[in-house]
Amino acid sequence: MAGPLANKHVVLGVTGSIACYKALDLASKLVQAGALVDTIMSYGATQFVTPLAFRSITHRAVVTDSFDPDSEYSVEHVALAQQADVIVVAPATVHCIAKLALGLADDPLTTTIIAATAPLVVAPAMDGNMYDHPATQANIATLKERGVVIAGPGIGRLASGLSGVGRLLETPELLGYISYAMGKDGDFAGRTVVVSAGGTMEPIDPVRVITNHSSGKMGYALAEAARDRGANVVLVTAPTNLADPALVKVVHVRTAEQMGKAVQEHATKADALVMAAAVADYKPAVEAGQKIKKNDDELNISLAKTEDILKTAKGNFVRVGFAAESENLVENAKSKVTSKKLDLIVANDITAEGSGFGSDTNKVTLIDRDLAVEELPLLTKYDVSNRILDRVKALFKD
Ligand code: CTP
């Protein structure tokens, strides 16, 4: 199994909040992502959901008691602490956060955390007033200073019926924070990577656009992979159906022109620009101010060339392009390396199986500025991203 969580030991700490039911979903998604999940529950958590529920999902023992004579671990908190690649407390109550800030160790979870050196993610869930309380704010600030990754809380409906800040983040976001926490000191730490994604939309009139089949998945996977290696990531994206990746600066645009402006603005300070977006090469020469009515049998729309963002972007960054081709893959991609002065191009045959638009996998060929060709096997888009980033790393200009 691929991905940042595959075969990782995750200690999932669950403390007493109604949001405990969401922790079951998190446990399930962690397991699906290939993680080995050891759950530690506070007494309060066991009042909301049962240890059996977590055991059924994780297929591993659930720790609830520091003094359980039947435990499979000799010294539980030390064993789990040493194994952990990451510790996640979700949901984290106001009380748990206070204990962590003070360094207290009076239950299996806090004892494990204080015995561990693994990255720690704390996902608060509480009522708005509890979160806003100066004591809670001070405790969260203390944890942040120590390098703890605070995930959320989100804004929305709370269990009290009120609306405000205090919701446990949703599972996909939590997974993003967990991957980020594991990789924040990775080989891209201190680097800025700008990634573009999606298919631009060029308006014909207020109702219609010219666009393409790009799903954005490749660009989003690149943004997540770069984040998971410690990079600051700016994702400039045309509209997609995908959720914004956590801990990535996402700039939403629609047209090639808007994408060009946003890319240039952020690329100036970047170490790498990876243009995974399918940018329209042509746009309607004039956008009709009113909806075009159907009158004649034929409608001709005159198209004008858009600016080539990749070719014209100014700055001293590693320049990576994509070439989606339906024929003469290597030849066409090589000529783009030369004409756009690229450091690397990622060529993919859009007709190949597992490589089409919207697919979760991709089979690509990498061609560098010396026109050396490396054909990669069929991989997930996340794995393809890491192979691209390996090459980018070797090409950094300083
Ligand atoms: N690109 C860009 N700006 C454009 C068009 C494309 O930055 N206006 C980028 C794409 O994001 C991609 C690379 O250039 O990284 C190659 O795009 P592609 O459309 O395949 O290349 P073109 O030079 O437009 O060639 P083709 O004739 O095959 O469309």
Side-chain angles (χ1 to χ4, degrees):
M1 190 172 325
L5 287 157
N7 303 314
K8 298 291 182 200
H9 278 274
V10 179
V11 169
L12 174 61
V14 186
T15 64
S17 150
I18 181 58
C20 281
Y21 81 91
K22 290 186 178 176
L24 289 169
D25 182 50
L26 177 61
S28 171
K29 297 299 186 310
L30 285 167
V31 170
Q32 287 172 39
L36 305 155
V37 182
D38 287 303
T39 313
I40 307 178
M41 299 177 77
S42 71
Y43 171 75
T46 64
Q47 303 303 297
F48 287 98
V49 285
T50 64
L52 178 63
F54 283 99
R55 203 174 74 200
S56 306
I57 286 170
T58 62
H59 307 291
R60 293 169 75 85
V62 173
V63 179
T64 55
D65 179 357
S66 299
F67 306 103
D68 180 359
D70 298 328
S71 167
E72 63 183 76
Y73 299 104
S74 48
V75 186
E76 207 148 55
H77 58 278
V78 177
L80 287 179
Q82 281 175 350
Q83 266 178 18
D85 291 301
V86 63
I87 302 181
V88 189
V89 187
T93 59
V94 75
H95 186 60
C96 173
I97 289 168
K99 289 203 292 185
L100 293 176
L102 280 173
L104 298 183
D106 67 341
D107 63 10
L109 178 60
T110 48
T111 318
T112 301
I113 289 173
I114 213 150
T117 54
L120 174 61
V121 180
V122 169
M126 62 195 66
D127 189 60
N129 286 343
M130 295 168 90
Y131 177 71
D132 288 338
H133 194 285
T136 310
Q137 289 301 314
N139 289 333
I140 288 177
T142 300
L143 294 180
K144 276 188 184 162
E145 267 166 40
R146 281 188 212 144
V148 175
V149 174
I150 304 292
I155 299 171
R157 191 184 179 282
L158 304 174
S160 60
L162 299 171
S163 205
V165 65
R167 272 173 72 89
L168 182 68
L169 291 186
E170 299 302 322
T171 299
E173 267 181 291
L174 288 174
L175 293 172
Y177 275 86
I178 296 166
S179 305
Y180 160 81
M182 284 194 298
K184 68 182 165 47
D185 301 319
D187 57 356
F188 274 62
R191 299 289 186 180
T192 297
V193 178
V194 177
V195 180
S196 69
T200 62
M201 291 189 174
E202 310 301 331
I204 298 169
D205 67 15
V207 181
R208 303 165 179 109
V209 294
I210 296 179
T211 188
N212 57 69
H213 290 302
S214 171
S215 66
K217 283 184 179 175
M218 191 63 237
Y220 278 57
L222 267 158
E224 288 175 1
R227 172 201 66 195
D228 297 346
R229 291 169 74 152
N232 299 316
V233 182
V234 182
L235 174 64
V236 180
T237 179
T240 70
N241 290 325
L242 306 171
D244 288 359
L247 297 157
V248 165
K249 182 179 171 58
V250 184
V251 183
H252 291 277
V253 297
R254 293 180 75 80
T255 64
E257 194 181 336
Q258 291 165 356
M259 182 170 276
K261 281 200 182 117
V263 164
Q264 185 58 70
E265 184 191 332
H266 294 283
T268 314
K269 292 157 274 167
D271 298 287
L273 167 63
V274 187
M275 284 292 299
V279 186
D281 289 327
Y282 293 91
K283 63 174 186 176
V286 188
E287 180 187 349
Q290 302 298 330
K291 187 179 170 204
I292 299 171
K293 303 305 277 178
K294 80 173 161 291
N295 292 321
D296 304 329
D297 287 344
E298 263 185 42
L299 172 68
N300 290 306
I301 298 171
S302 161
L303 301 179
K305 218 174 191 173
T306 59
E307 192 177 50
D308 193 310
I309 301 169
L310 190 56
K311 197 170 174 178
T312 54
K314 290 175 205 62
N316 188 31
F317 44 78
V318 178
R319 210 171 279 259
V320 184
F322 272 70
E325 307 288 348
S326 56
E327 57 182 357
N328 305 328
L329 179 73
V330 172
E331 241 171 90
N332 283 338
K334 276 185 177 174
S335 70
K336 283 177 192 173
V337 172
T338 312
S339 69
K340 300 195 191 206
K341 296 195 176 62
L342 303 182
D343 296 297
L344 186 72
I345 200 157
V346 185
N348 71 319
D349 177 353
I350 52 169
T351 63
E353 205 175 316
S355 292
F357 291 111
S359 159
D360 290 321
T361 52
N362 210 353
K363 187 174 179 328
V364 304
T365 301
L366 304 180
I367 302 168
D368 64 18
R369 57 189 172 210
D370 300 325
L371 303 183
V373 178
E374 182 191 5
E375 208 177 309
L376 300 185
L378 184 68
L379 296 168
T380 64
K381 287 186 172 171
Y382 189 84
D383 281 350
V384 170
S385 301
N386 273 318
R387 298 292 285 267
I388 295 167
L389 293 173
D390 288 343
R391 298 290 293 265
V392 168
K393 187 181 155 191
L395 291 164
F396 278 137
K397 312 260 164 163
D398 53 36

